[in-house]
Amino acid sequence: MKLRKVTAASAVVLALALSATACGSNDKKDEGSSGGGGKIKVGIKFDQPGLGLKQPDGSFSGFDVDVATYVAKELGYKSDQIEWVETKSADRENALARGDVKFIVATYSINDERKQKVDFAGPYLLAHQDLLVKSDSDISQGTDLNGKKLCSVTGSTSAQNVQKSIAPKANLKENAGYSECIAGLQSGAVDAVTTDDSILAGFASQDKYKGQFKLAGLKLSNENYGIGVKKGDTATVDKINSALEKMVSDGSWDTAVKKNLGPANYKNEPAPKIGNIVK
């Protein structure tokens, strides 16, 4: 009889323990499924100073990083819950389609071809193709590049646009990356570098280059940067647009632009109308 009482008591203890374990497991699962305890993967560039740059200590900085951090916060995620994923230009659409990231903030210009493959929130910045020159340069318009050395990255359409329609006698030098072009501009090996003004401003804003370069301010094209989202995920697009509207209205957008791109005398356009997806 005594043995039976002990056995029954043990059974009750065991049942309570199993119940507590089950509840604990469910609580943990629920926490991980929300911003409160889960992670969010966000695509950015790792090699664009002022926009998306991975620092030697493993941290990340830049305007795109600040925008992405603000958006993630509005979606319910703290900064330490963000997992940054490098998304190079050629792989952005695939990264979204595979579900590698929730959204991408990486100088991602909106155009009709890309809109067939992904959805965009934003735009959050209007950039323009421009020239970066030395601070004492007399280059002030596109035609001044005739006979001068112009640098851009291999395969870039920016330099080709200049050669074809603005300065056909410009001597084009192509490098693997913009870092090499900027170093060439500093040394005098080239006279100008061309790509989006935001990218140029980011490179020029680095401490080692501050005060050495200036943007020509030519506005050779319109580049509306959007936040890429998996095709069909309209709910996330709407949430991101709401976050961007708040970022603009509370002044955080202006602060981020000036902090990351201002040192190169970057004269940014006003924040574009959120939700106005244009080519």
Side-chain angles (χ1 to χ4, degrees):
M1 185 70 178
K2 185 176 181 181
L3 179 60
R4 289 178 181 174
K5 289 182 177 179
V6 172
T7 303
S10 300
V12 171
V13 171
L14 178 60
L16 289 172
L18 289 172
S19 176
T21 301
C23 290
S25 176
N26 288 337
D27 288 346
K28 185 175 182 180
K29 182 178 180 180
D30 290 341
E31 182 182 48
S33 65
S34 67
K39 293 278 188 179
I40 185 169
K41 293 183 178 181
V42 179
I44 58 170
K45 295 288 183 68
F46 278 20
D47 59 353
Q48 288 186 339
L51 291 159
L53 182 68
K54 185 175 182 179
Q55 303 286 0
D57 64 359
S59 62
F60 297 88
S61 66
F63 178 67
D64 282 350
V65 174
D66 287 349
V67 170
T69 300
Y70 190 101
V71 168
K73 179 182 176 183
E74 291 301 306
L75 295 182
Y77 297 88
K78 298 178 181 178
S79 58
D80 60 0
Q81 293 176 281
I82 301 172
E83 182 178 336
W84 301 109
V85 178
E86 182 176 22
T87 48
K88 296 184 178 181
S89 296
D91 195 46
R92 288 178 297 203
E93 289 82 17
N94 291 332
L96 288 168
R98 292 191 302 259
D100 295 347
V101 294
K102 185 66 173 177
F103 60 86
I104 293 176
V105 190
T107 59
Y108 204 176
S109 295
I110 301 168
N111 61 39
D112 286 341
E113 181 180 356
R114 289 170 178 165
K115 285 192 289 184
Q116 299 302 312
K117 301 175 183 177
V118 304
D119 285 337
F120 284 101
Y124 65 94
L125 184 73
L126 173 58
H128 305 282
Q129 183 186 340
D130 200 357
L131 302 175
L132 188 71
V133 297
K134 281 193 171 182
S135 297
D136 59 355
S137 174
D138 58 358
I139 295 175
S140 60
Q141 54 188 358
T143 53
D144 292 337
L145 288 171
N146 283 311
K148 300 290 180 68
K149 297 173 183 176
L150 175 66
C151 189
S152 194
V153 298
T154 302
S156 167
T157 59
S158 298
Q160 294 169 12
N161 290 340
V162 172
Q163 274 195 318
K164 289 179 180 179
S165 58
I166 300 173
K169 295 182 180 179
N171 299 313
L172 177 60
K173 178 178 176 58
E174 294 181 302
N175 283 320
Y178 288 111
S179 294
E180 293 92 333
C181 284
I182 303 298
L185 182 61
Q186 183 185 40
S187 69
V190 299
D191 300 300
V193 182
T194 188
T195 187
D196 295 357
D197 53 7
S198 57
I199 296 175
L200 295 172
F203 275 100
S205 295
Q206 295 177 92
D207 288 338
K208 60 182 176 181
Y209 295 135
K210 281 183 181 178
Q212 297 184 44
F213 308 129
K214 66 180 179 181
L215 289 163
L218 301 186
K219 298 183 180 180
L220 301 175
S221 72
N222 292 328
E223 305 295 336
N224 285 281
Y225 290 170
I227 295 181
V229 176
K230 187 174 182 178
K231 190 69 177 176
D233 189 359
T234 55
T236 297
V237 169
D238 291 341
K239 290 177 182 178
I240 292 176
N241 279 337
S242 294
L244 291 173
E245 289 173 349
K246 183 177 179 181
M247 186 178 187
V248 172
S249 65
D250 69 15
S252 299
W253 186 89
D254 281 316
T255 299
V257 171
K258 289 179 174 62
K259 180 184 77 172
N260 294 293
L261 304 175
N265 196 30
Y266 177 64
K267 295 178 175 61
N268 64 280
E269 298 279 7
K273 183 178 179 181
I274 309 302
N276 183 26
I277 300 302
V278 294
K279 183 175 178 180

